[in-house]
Amino acid sequence: MTVCDSIAESTIFVPRTADDQENTDESVNSYLRDLGLPQRLSGYRWFQRPPGDLTVKDIDEAVYAAIRDLPRDHHPAEAVPAIRAALAQSYGR
């Protein structure tokens, strides 16, 4: 959290509570359900390991290019086929 007053700006760390984590997990899982994807297990940190010489930036760019032409108010599930195709191509499948 960043706190600003008339003298300075400072950043302090506020530990996440169990309720905070539960709310975060539910938000993520709600989004995944909307996409028709499996829910995450709670309490884990998830990382993306790009294959070969791909970078996370390469993958992000492929995904954003895949959904660029969708309407701004599209439902997340509408993006799934385009994202899956872009990832399949990026991952060489």
Side-chain angles (χ1 to χ4, degrees):
M1 168 186 335
T2 301
V3 179
C4 301
D5 60 25
S6 60
I7 300 171
E9 180 179 301
S10 59
T11 301
I12 57 173
F13 174 74
V14 179
R16 186 180 295 175
T17 67
D19 285 341
D20 292 339
Q21 185 62 51
E22 186 177 328
N23 288 335
T24 298
D25 290 341
E26 178 51 34
S27 293
V28 170
N29 285 331
S30 173
Y31 186 78
L32 292 172
R33 277 192 302 274
D34 285 349
L35 294 171
L37 297 173
Q39 296 183 35
R40 299 180 331 152
L41 295 176
S42 179
Y44 291 90
R45 293 181 77 186
W46 299 90
F47 298 92
Q48 179 179 358
R49 181 177 295 173
D53 60 350
L54 285 177
T55 65
V56 171
K57 182 180 178 196
D58 295 331
I59 294 168
D60 285 347
E61 288 174 353
V63 168
Y64 290 128
I67 63 174
R68 180 179 317 144
D69 296 328
L70 290 175
R72 291 182 69 90
D73 62 346
H74 72 273
H75 188 278
E78 294 177 83
V80 172
I83 292 171
R84 282 192 172 142
L87 292 177
Q89 184 175 7
S90 294
Y91 281 71
R93 293 183 178 179

